[in-house]
Amino acid sequence: MSEAGLDVLAIRACAGDREALEALVRGLQDPLFRLARRFLGHPENARDATQEILILIVTKLSTFRGESSISTWAYRVACRHLLRARATYRRLTFEQLVDEDLAKAPNAIGAEVLESAEARLLEEEVFLCCTQAMLQALDRPLRIAYVLGGICELESADAAYALGITEAAFRKRLSRARAALDAFVSKHCGVANPANPCRCAFQVNHNVALGRLNPRGLVHAKPTERTSLEALQALGEIRAARRSLELYRAQPAFASPDDLAARVRSMIAIGGSSLFDA
């Protein structure tokens, strides 16, 4: 839905229109889920966080004053919540990623692993997990700036408003994040630079052995006509080297796995929200 359409829904929702409120929450859930997933790293954590953010949006909607679009205001609510969230995973540094995971010797994916999933999906799972781990290696302020400005592609003014900082401060954080990721992928990632030895296929057996990858239940990769890796390989025929943003923008636009709007409505109704019960 367009920004203007969401703004209209917000006005109607503030006036007590229950259907407009539910439509507004449904229009916001996917972009907010994508933000949470990129920032937190795991879809289950992202789903829980998105649900919490949507509840906050519903309960705080009466404070919306139209200083920005409703989407930008929702991003502001989301960023505050995500930056306060406790990490529930082990965050690797860039140095640890190199020491523990990258540049495995060439090896064929195990036959028993291939019984559960296609090689192309296993490679995609490794690629998506690895690029997500790179994001997690960034400090939180840099990570949220990169996700907002680089992956979600918010304008500097909107991203700065969402973070409660100046545009100059946002641009500095985004630049630092991009520089860190660009330096890492150009030196280590075989997708970004074919001269590097690391290949997603060579990482499959390693990640299965460590229990990070379950070939019977892939977390990130889904059956599709063309995977992110295949799209980037096709691009590589035209462009020899890629920067970090291209690695992320080639990936799926992750959507919420559930109808969180309906779930939020039922949860708020139990709590007696004057907005949903209007």
Side-chain angles (χ1 to χ4, degrees):
M1 181 177 293
S2 69
E3 291 279 353
L6 290 173
D7 287 343
V8 170
L9 288 175
I11 294 171
R12 289 170 50 196
C14 286
D17 187 329
R18 183 173 57 188
E19 291 184 358
L21 180 59
E22 186 165 350
L24 174 64
V25 173
R26 187 165 285 113
L28 292 172
Q29 69 177 16
D30 282 352
L32 294 180
F33 175 79
R34 285 191 283 274
L35 171 67
R37 179 161 177 169
R38 289 303 192 182
F39 185 77
L40 297 174
H42 195 282
E44 289 298 322
N45 295 338
R47 182 178 62 181
D48 292 344
T50 305
Q51 181 172 287
E52 293 163 1
I53 291 164
L54 291 172
I55 291 172
L56 286 173
I57 287 170
V58 170
T59 56
K60 293 177 179 291
L61 189 59
S62 62
T63 68
F64 175 61
R65 297 290 179 259
E67 298 173 351
S68 67
S69 69
I70 188 64
S71 292
T72 303
W73 179 81
Y75 275 120
R76 186 182 179 97
V77 174
C79 288
R80 287 178 174 176
H81 182 74
L82 291 171
L83 287 169
R84 288 195 299 261
R86 291 183 60 186
T88 58
Y89 50 83
R90 179 191 175 206
R91 173 176 167 265
L92 297 177
T93 64
F94 287 115
E95 292 77 13
Q96 287 171 325
L97 282 173
V98 174
D99 292 341
E100 296 187 17
D101 292 309
L102 302 185
K104 298 300 176 187
N107 62 94
I109 299 174
E112 69 284 359
V113 175
L114 290 172
E115 291 176 0
S116 301
E118 295 179 71
R120 60 193 292 270
L121 292 181
L122 293 164
E123 291 180 50
E124 177 81 346
E125 182 79 359
V126 168
F127 171 69
L128 295 175
C129 287
C130 188
T131 50
Q132 188 60 55
M134 293 177 202
L135 278 181
Q136 301 304 307
L138 292 170
D139 291 338
R140 286 185 164 214
L142 299 188
R143 190 192 323 157
I144 198 81
Y146 187 87
V147 175
L148 285 173
I151 300 176
C152 297
E153 300 185 64
L154 268 66
E155 297 292 339
S156 293
D158 292 335
Y161 176 82
L163 293 173
I165 59 178
T166 66
E167 286 188 58
F170 167 73
R171 287 193 292 268
K172 184 175 181 179
R173 290 183 189 181
L174 177 59
S175 177
R176 288 175 59 197
R178 290 188 62 172
L181 286 169
D182 287 350
F184 184 82
V185 301
S186 65
K187 185 176 181 180
H188 300 288
C189 177
V191 180
N193 182 357
N196 293 324
C198 190
R199 294 292 182 271
C200 297
F202 301 161
Q203 301 285 344
V204 172
N205 293 337
H206 172 65
N207 281 277
V208 170
L210 290 177
R212 296 176 181 169
L213 192 162
N214 177 6
R216 295 181 177 83
L218 302 182
V219 173
H220 302 286
K222 306 299 179 186
T224 183
E225 183 176 343
R226 175 183 271 190
T227 66
S228 306
L229 271 177
E230 289 164 345
L232 286 163
Q233 288 161 358
L235 179 64
E237 297 174 4
I238 303 171
R239 194 175 306 165
R242 286 176 284 276
R243 295 188 181 274
S244 60
L245 274 179
E246 292 182 63
L247 301 186
Y248 293 101
R249 290 179 178 174
Q251 295 176 21
F254 298 114
S256 172
D258 300 310
D259 183 359
L260 295 179
R263 182 180 296 182
V264 168
R265 177 178 179 176
S266 65
M267 293 179 69
I268 293 292
I270 293 172
S273 167
S274 59
L275 282 170
F276 264 120
D277 292 344

